Amino acid sequence: MCGIAGIYNFDQSKIKPEITNLIKDSLEHRGPDFSKVDFIDDNVALIHTRLAIIDLDQRSNQPMVSKDNRYSIVFNGEIYNFKEIRKNLEGKGISFFTDGDTEVLLEGYIHYGKDILKLLRGQFAFAIYDSEEESFFLARDRVGIKPLYFSLTNNTFLFSSELKAIEKSGLIPFSADIDSYVAYLRHLAVPTYKTGNKNISKLEPGQCLFVDKEKNILKH
């Protein structure tokens, strides 16, 4: 279990380090082995707290950046067939510097785009930032084992493994979603994309989404 999060300010305003540190601190219990905030740009930050399971070396710490510095990834989970995917990518001339599944996932996305999801067997929630397109790609496993929450406001896109991490940022106002509370009282669960806060949503199991610099959001 790891913790992932990220912030993207569409208005190009600088992200305050104290905000990213609040988010990171709230996720520390998910990943006690290593934690880091990576400012991709003044207005883009990725956050990761790591529980090391595969490739315990620090070279597999996250956020992880592609060889050309274009793509950055934060990933929570485990890809069971990553060795098979790695072998196929190596056959296409792609080299690797780690023994873990995070780099395979990143290189797989670079090579296949969102179609990498068709090849994955495992439990996962991850986000990849494309610094050239200034866009985010998020995805969650088919069963929804690994959680992923997000919020898109006028000026900010924020995502995290936990609802409370988004709330602790202080960037997203609370607006009660009465239907969510009624559903919980009836069924002890909040359905589909709802969270109880109208301004925060869940990425649903088996779902991925793109967010671009024009604040467009596209789900698959």
Side-chain angles (χ1 to χ4, degrees):
M1 181 175 71
C2 298
I4 68 173
I7 304 175
Y8 183 4
N9 285 340
F10 297 108
D11 61 0
Q12 303 299 310
S13 61
K14 188 174 181 178
I15 298 169
K16 296 178 180 179
E18 53 265 35
I19 292 176
T20 56
N21 286 333
L22 280 172
I23 295 172
K24 180 173 71 71
D25 290 347
S26 73
L27 295 172
E28 290 282 2
H29 66 283
R30 298 182 67 90
D33 297 321
F34 181 81
S35 63
K36 184 182 178 183
V37 176
D38 193 358
F39 287 91
I40 311 300
D41 211 330
D42 283 346
N43 66 314
V44 181
L46 288 174
I47 302 158
H48 190 267
T49 61
R50 184 186 183 197
L51 176 63
I53 297 176
I54 299 176
D55 190 8
L56 305 184
D57 194 278
Q58 62 181 3
R59 63 192 173 184
S60 283
N61 288 341
Q62 302 178 46
M64 184 178 289
V65 183
S66 62
K67 300 179 186 70
D68 60 1
N69 292 318
R70 175 175 174 177
Y71 299 94
S72 301
I73 186 172
V74 284
F75 163 52
N76 172 32
E78 185 176 351
I79 307 302
Y80 305 141
N81 63 332
F82 80 95
K83 291 182 179 179
E84 175 188 336
I85 297 172
R86 173 175 175 146
K87 186 176 180 179
N88 291 336
L89 291 170
E90 286 176 329
K92 299 177 186 295
I94 298 172
S95 59
F96 293 84
F97 66 90
T98 74
D99 295 324
D101 52 356
T102 303
E103 187 184 13
V104 173
L105 179 55
L106 178 57
E107 291 290 348
Y109 177 78
I110 293 170
H111 187 79
Y112 296 111
K114 71 180 179 63
D115 286 341
I116 184 62
L117 298 175
K118 299 177 182 178
L119 304 178
L120 300 181
R121 300 292 178 267
Q123 48 181 301
F124 55 83
F126 67 88
I128 295 176
Y129 181 70
D130 181 342
S131 60
E132 186 174 301
E133 296 291 333
E134 298 180 45
S135 63
F136 263 107
F137 176 76
L138 278 68
R140 191 177 176 201
D141 63 75
R142 296 167 182 81
V143 182
I145 298 172
K146 297 300 181 182
L148 194 53
Y149 299 87
F150 69 94
S151 177
L152 181 64
T153 63
N154 288 335
N155 292 318
T156 301
F157 174 65
L158 200 158
F159 66 86
S160 180
S161 298
E162 295 188 359
L163 183 66
K164 71 173 185 178
I166 296 178
E167 293 174 335
K168 281 184 176 293
S169 73
L171 298 174
I172 308 302
F174 177 80
S175 178
D177 182 359
I178 303 303
D179 290 343
S180 294
Y181 293 110
V182 171
Y184 185 81
L185 291 172
R186 286 176 174 170
H187 310 294
L188 297 181
V190 177
T192 62
Y193 62 90
K194 295 178 178 291
T195 65
N197 184 344
K198 288 182 179 180
N199 296 318
I200 303 176
S201 300
K202 289 182 292 189
L203 194 64
E204 296 181 57
Q207 191 174 69
C208 65
L209 65 82
F210 289 95
V211 179
D212 65 22
K213 60 184 177 181
E214 304 300 330
K215 295 182 282 189
N216 297 311
I217 186 166
L218 182 62
K219 294 181 182 180
H220 294 279

